[in-house]
């Protein structure tokens, strides 16, 4: 058994991260702060930015101007210059390694990015009331500030224990855009991993519940379709136009009409759309930012293929061109039974855990699945662990917050699970 | 001035034709009866069936079974066997020629086909009350029985006059399907025509009105689009299907959305649609029978081209194939001013004509325009003449009928116009 | 153990029924023939037509003309006049009761209707080759001829055994239209039933397989939506129209776009659609015959409610009226574990059964679920039993046929299951 | 005959105005600059801002923040503080009156607003090359800088002439949004106007052409439809959502499908649309900014009514609410023959006018029609005068510019027309 984590230090760190939420590939301040902590704890190997990511696999990378804006903000907010330099171009995130002799290689994956939304200023919202509300315009509305903190806590706890083997903690960027999982999965750092844990707080489970084996990840693919037509004066020459908004609207209607599939759940959403410039101009441009999902990767691929047909056909119907790009993707994945056993066993023994749950369905998507499948493909085992937390607002809403009692519970459950697999090899 | 037409004989003939309405390319009895009359009157040349039609230009020809059914019916109803033989394969209609020495070649075009609809049995409906209601299941609901009668009356009147020149009367099949105008226009019989009159009764004008120059014919194209997908069990394997009804529905919605045109009026209609076989089968087949129109032939062509895009695009959107065929077509056309003058001059002098109108807009379509344009292309002149008739029900409805007083008026106006152009050469 | 069923007699009877397929509420000949057999076997009670059906619960009843046509055909084909009289108005089907003293009441439900489709004339198609192809224009393309035969076989076998209790066999009409299950379920004849078996041959299982507990019935609702607009001339006055085909097409597109549901599988299909009369008339009428399904009755109800919104909204969008009627409906249902045990035990012992399967998913719908739920609501148990048969063509196709070896196997498994529950009371 | 206008001064003024384009109700700098000039010229009455506009008739007024931003910008750019105060709240524009004794009241209407678009920085673009490109981010891309200049030029020229009567010049704001015409028309300042001229440069006519009587204004109505649904997680609970983007897309498709009208040209455009927030959220909000037009006000009203049905029906189809507001509107109008005669007569005599054209069709919309109809309703006469100008880019494009030779020609033609009607009273 390791030492109990230092609750106050975890809370302090989480609140500091909470003040600096940064969206995908813009986690400059966050990565720098994590590196700081890792160096303070002391690690054997540390891979930062491009060293932690497979070349050419990043998706949804913002443009240079956007990157520069967040880079400068991070510098102004006090991020370490030497780390920032290594992150240039939006290569964020890190992999930290602790080596403790012979033994299995165990990995933990936590995500570190924030969401592009305003945080509540309401007095009932604890971060606002207690002065650690976001300072960046973005928001940690999904608990990744807690995840990064837990990653550091687990690393420290394992290092301080009698662990034998190698521990790798993956601080992953860009989960919200399902954009960072694949480049980390393909970075090579997973090649020798025997056991992988991934974790998430909340998910509608209250403080005191732990889910050993979150399943039901829907495979997902995000896309952006750009429709291009010809503009024309809507009063004088409507026939000269090629109406990109008509094409987009036809695509929207027909995307939702892609047939259901006998093999299981599918999803589709045209979540953000727009087009046109003025009431009196036949619209020349329109776009859909959408997604398809499937209970399995095959079902997601079915939806993706059909969505492609719909978008092409709708453009052709109105004499427009369309350019469709995938901007994020994640497969489905399942937790391995043997690791689920380990986590459940640990959770039952952990102080503060009142209700250890064996497996639950998520119904959403998450790109930790890239890492899980990579490990499983190499013959290793993987499990996704949910750690309940009382959260006043829903995930992704302006009043989302985590109950900080969750932090030591999560560090306990995960570090003890790491020790357990090292000891017992399930 | 010619002799007054024999009203009673015209009425008798029209009623006989009214009892035997036959749709496009099935005018077997009708053609045979017309040939009978023509031989009785005596003509110099007579072209029947294939001799009156350009090879390969017929559209919307029914299948062999349907042709055989009407052919047999005509024989049973007493059509002359020798004429029937010449019409085999659905080559109906005739061109009759009267030659009277030196002078211009003047033509009259009348149409002879009926509509595929039931005729009223109501006591207020004169054909029902007086015993000359349709015996074929089809109906002369647009006055073509009167037109054929008028064609014969004009030929007889001109022959009996001091006319100098050549008169050709075109008894055209398949106007309702806009399917017979083109093969007659391209038959060669128009090549030497200097003046062409075409005529129609009614058109919302009462008995006593004559319109010298009906204009505003919309160019039109009829099409049939057949969508072919893949069937599948709607409960068990919806994803295996390729839904032809979805494709058709998308096409319908987008057809009506083809942009309006700066150059003038356009029209589109998916007038008859269908698809699928049972509630629990993803539909494999669907169709649209539709039409596009334009104020000019160019506008019709614009609509036709865009409709093609829509139908192809809609099929592709749902992974279906589509086969689109034109089943009828007619251009726009305008009456020539000089002939309008002639007709108006004649109408003013004709007994029974109370209100000679100079030009009026139709707002519909008519394939006499093929003949008019052919004559105009060759340097001749053409005019479309409306002859008002009190009609209790609207055109194409079950209670349509013509006021038989119209028959001698029409014969007068048209035969005197023929004489006038021969005398005066406008 | 009962006696082995007489294979030849079963085959003969099945082939006779195969020659006379009759669709929902038109099973005049079939019912009369079944009554014949039942009287020959000897039953204690026999409820025919209206006596076997709850008043006012029939759905999808054809019009009087259609009923009269099939009634007359049945008479001409030799149906007994005394039975026919009892079926007038389309009250078909029967319930037969055999009483053998103290013991449980056990029921078997078989369906007896045919499908409205042509049967293959191909030489490879056994009914065509061996002279028992359909004589009615409809077709037994789903094996209900075998089902009725099996029902009679089981009744005879149980009667000949040492069975103690009451056996009721339900010969249900109108399953293909999911129209007959509810009136039989609500007839009162199920009130005292302790155990109910329902059965189906085939379902993609070969001869020699038996499925103890077919599950995964999707709850289903069939509907017909009639759209009514205003006609107008498509060239002359398009603005005067209210286009029922546009309304229908909008509804089709949006029906398929009803959101997927978190709780499980849903389905929707606009299986048969049509509208309009002619290319040049803005369509005044259009219809959709469609269905919605759900993995549970609640999911079906969700789909039904949303479909109602879509259809109403689509009509309003185009200024049309819509009238929507449910024409058939069935809930979902599950087989009870205890009865599944019984059937599996029996199947394991039955000659000819090579592969007894414990539970399988159907993925379709079936209105035996009305009877199953009625029995379960009363505290009884129900199970749906699949009996494999080699079928060359798929269900509902022109070449569907059953391997007649299936008949004695099915009679064996079901009659022995009846005896087993009477003996052992699971 | 008046004096020739001072070309250099007109050019200088136009270039100054060109540097300060301001969109509807934001013409703070522009109005102040016009008032400056008017006071320099000397007028008898001057109505500024709210004094020139009917209370409660402004449409498309921007929000306070937007107004404040432009107000501050105008102040910083040197607008006179005393005039700015009178314009607070976005009441812009002015009416200037010159009284010269007994005689008719003649009015000229010019518009003064710019467009919300970037101006070209290309060296070929004269304003860029010669240093008078826009400094505001908006652009005078439709020549209203020239119009305001011409208004001042005409006032000065008439004042310097022997004109007898009253001249009123309307400097109208918000034409591009068709938002300012009605409040000026209803302001009361037109009540005594006998003759009204409105004018526009360009319209695809080169320098040297003048169109006496631009016609074919399409009546127009702009609208904004806001769709409101319910958000939901697209992966986890799609059925909880009410999809505002689906509603919007359905509306877009069906808006374009509103039937064409027998009475003449109609138009519809969903020119700017948008909706949703993120790919994984069922969209809660969506909007359409669109327009309908008609050759007559009645045709526009037909389109508007049908568009209302479509938008309501589409929302209902998807269980959403919709709020539709008119944000701008203009009727059709025709130039009076007698005034067309006057202008044509004047144009023929004007130096620089090589091609005086009698009437031409516009094919667009313009809210000068409100003023024209108001004058005509009161028994006065109105005419719309086109003054050709060589413009390198099309109207509303980034490279639009006017040939400054047009300025003196326009002042000449319009001031001489004012004198002509005063002298001759057509």
């Amino acid at each position: 058994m390791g030492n109990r984590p230092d609750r106050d230090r975890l809370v302090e760190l989480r609140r500091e991260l909470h003040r600096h939420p940064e969206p995908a590939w813009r986690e400059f301040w966050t990565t720098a702060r994590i590196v700081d902590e890792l160096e303070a704890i002391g690690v054997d190997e540390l891979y930062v930015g491009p060293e932690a990511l497979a070349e050419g696999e990043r998706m949804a990378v913002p443009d240079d101007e956007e990157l520069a804006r967040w880079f400068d903000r991070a510098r102004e907010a006090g991020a370490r210059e030497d780390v920032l330099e290594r992150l240039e171009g939006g290569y964020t995130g890190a992999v930290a390694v602790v080596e403790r002799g012979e033994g299995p290689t165990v990995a933990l994956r936590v995500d570190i990015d924030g969401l592009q939304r305003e945080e509540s200023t309401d007095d009932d919202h604890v971060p606002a009331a207690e002065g650690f509300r976001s300072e960046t315009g973005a928001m940690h509305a999904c608990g990744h500030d807690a995840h990064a903190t837990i990653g550091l806590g687990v690393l420290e706890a394992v290092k301080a224990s009698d662990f034998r083997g190698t521990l790798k903690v993956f601080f992953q960027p860009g989960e919200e855009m399902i954009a960072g999982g694949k480049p980390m999965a393909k970075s090579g750092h997973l090649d020798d991993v025997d056991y992988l844990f991934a974790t998430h707080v909340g998910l509608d489970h209250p403080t005191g519940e732990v889910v050993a084996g979150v399943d039901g990840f829907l495979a997902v693919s995000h896309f952006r379709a750009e429709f291009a037509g010809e503009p024309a004066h809507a009063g004088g020459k409507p026939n000269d136009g090629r109406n990109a908004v008509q094409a987009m609207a036809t695509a929207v209607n027909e995307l939702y009409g892609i047939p259901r599939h006998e093999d299981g759940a599918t999803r589709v959403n045209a979540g953000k759309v727009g087009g046109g410039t003025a009431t009196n101009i036949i619209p020349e441009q329109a776009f859909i930012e959408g997604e398809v999902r499937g209970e399995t990767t095959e079902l997601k691929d079915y939806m993706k293929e059909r969505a492609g047909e719909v978008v092409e056909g709708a453009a052709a119907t109105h004499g427009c061109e369309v350019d469709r790009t995938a901007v994020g993707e994640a497969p489905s994945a399942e937790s391995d039974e043997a690791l689920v056993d380990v986590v459940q066993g640990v959770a039952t023994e952990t102080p503060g855990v009142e209700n250890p749950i064996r497996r639950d369905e998520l119904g959403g998507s998450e790109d930790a699945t890239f890492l899980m499948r990579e490990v499983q493909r190499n013959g290793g085992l993987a499990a996704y662990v949910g750690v309940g937390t009382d959260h006043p607002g829903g995930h992704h809403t302006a009043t989302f917050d985590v109950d900080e009692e969750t932090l030591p519970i999560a560090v306990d459950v995960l570090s003890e699970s790491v020790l357990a697999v090292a000891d017992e090899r399930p």
Side-chain angles (χ1 to χ4, degrees), chain A:
Chain A
M1 193 71 171
N3 302 319
R4 301 309 322 282
D6 179 346
R7 180 190 170 286
D8 290 351
R9 193 166 152 228
L10 294 173
V11 168
E12 188 183 356
L13 186 56
R14 177 256 163 172
R15 292 186 173 201
E16 197 182 349
L17 292 166
H18 191 87
R19 284 165 42 214
H20 298 279
E22 295 165 313
W25 308 123
R26 280 149 282 190
E27 305 92 337
F28 300 113
W29 188 94
T30 305
T31 302
R33 187 69 192 79
I34 288 166
V35 169
D36 252 5
E37 282 296 308
L38 289 169
E39 291 185 1
I41 298 167
V43 295
D44 298 300
E45 292 172 32
L46 179 53
Y47 304 93
V48 176
E51 305 154 8
L53 301 164
E55 183 64 35
E57 296 284 2
R58 292 182 307 159
M59 289 194 280
V61 182
D63 61 29
D64 289 348
E65 192 179 341
E66 170 79 0
L67 286 174
R69 202 162 62 80
W70 285 88
F71 193 88
D72 292 348
R73 202 214 70 90
R75 179 183 282 137
E76 282 161 29
R80 271 170 52 181
E81 195 65 38
D82 63 328
V83 182
L84 280 182
E85 271 172 26
R86 299 164 74 178
L87 309 178
E88 255 184 292
Y91 293 86
T92 51
V95 179
V97 185
V98 171
E99 290 172 351
R100 281 296 172 270
E102 288 268 313
T105 300
V106 191
L108 171 66
R109 176 273 200 183
V110 293
D111 44 14
I112 66 172
D113 54 320
L115 275 159
Q116 282 177 306
R117 68 155 301 141
E118 284 278 310
E119 181 161 9
S120 173
T121 57
D122 201 280
D123 284 349
D124 292 347
H125 183 58
V126 174
E130 305 201 359
F132 60 98
R133 188 174 165 273
S134 164
E135 299 172 5
T136 70
M139 178 181 172
H140 269 303
C142 197
H144 299 191
D145 49 344
H147 298 172
T149 304
I150 292 164
L152 291 164
V154 169
L155 187 137
E156 188 167 24
V158 170
K159 192 184 167 200
S161 75
D162 54 2
F163 171 70
R164 301 296 296 169
T166 300
L167 173 69
K168 295 184 173 187
V169 182
F170 290 77
F171 296 89
Q172 184 204 301
E175 188 278 333
E176 295 291 357
M177 318 274 289
I178 49 171
K182 195 173 181 191
M184 273 214 155
K186 300 296 181 192
S187 66
H189 294 293
L190 283 176
D191 291 0
D192 59 352
V193 169
D194 301 299
Y195 309 107
L196 170 71
F197 298 100
T199 193
H200 208 295
V201 296
L203 308 176
D204 298 323
H205 292 280
T207 305
E209 289 190 359
V210 165
V211 184
V214 176
D215 288 317
F217 294 111
L218 298 173
V220 66
S221 177
H222 289 185
F223 64 87
R224 182 176 168 94
E226 296 267 7
F227 297 86
E230 292 287 337
H233 191 272
K237 296 177 178 296
N239 44 288
D240 272 5
R242 291 304 197 157
N243 194 325
V245 161
Q246 270 187 303
M248 178 272 279
T250 300
V252 166
N253 276 331
E254 304 314 320
L255 279 169
Y256 287 100
I258 295 174
R260 275 94 167 149
H261 199 290
E262 62 182 309
D263 290 343
T266 54
R267 298 282 184 269
V268 58
N269 192 39
K272 194 169 177 183
V273 308
T277 54
T279 55
N280 63 341
I281 306 293
I282 301 294
E284 177 184 16
Q285 298 286 348
F287 72 90
I288 299 174
E289 289 181 5
E291 60 166 42
V292 291
R293 304 190 196 220
E295 198 173 317
T296 62
T297 305
E298 289 69 32
L299 285 166
K300 180 263 294 170
D301 287 342
Y302 158 80
M303 291 299 290
K304 196 174 164 184
E305 191 191 321
R306 289 284 180 112
E309 278 183 14
V310 165
V311 162
E312 293 286 341
T317 301
H318 296 283
C320 294
E321 301 292 316
V322 66
D323 185 39
R324 192 167 56 105
T325 48
V327 292
E329 197 145 22
S332 61
E334 294 289 322
S335 294
D336 289 297
E337 192 69 8
L339 276 201
V340 167
D341 286 344
V342 168
V343 175
Q344 189 168 26
V346 166
T348 310
E349 305 292 317
T350 304
V353 178
E354 290 151 27
N355 187 14
I357 296 171
R358 190 178 182 84
R359 294 192 183 269
D360 187 31
E361 296 283 310
L362 179 69
S365 302
E366 159 55 294
D367 67 358
T369 53
F370 272 116
L371 291 89
M372 293 170 71
R373 289 168 75 104
E374 184 72 18
V375 168
Q376 289 165 336
R377 186 176 301 124
N378 295 339
L381 301 178
Y384 196 97
V385 180
V387 182
T389 198
D390 298 336
H391 51 90
H395 288 265
H396 291 205
T397 69
T399 57
F400 181 82
D401 190 21
V402 303
D403 173 7
E404 288 163 338
E405 294 314 311
T406 300
L407 299 172
I409 295 173
V411 171
D412 260 2
V413 168
L414 291 163
S415 55
E416 292 299 329
S417 294
V418 170
L419 294 178
V421 294
D423 287 354
E424 306 166 29
R425 303 231 175 171

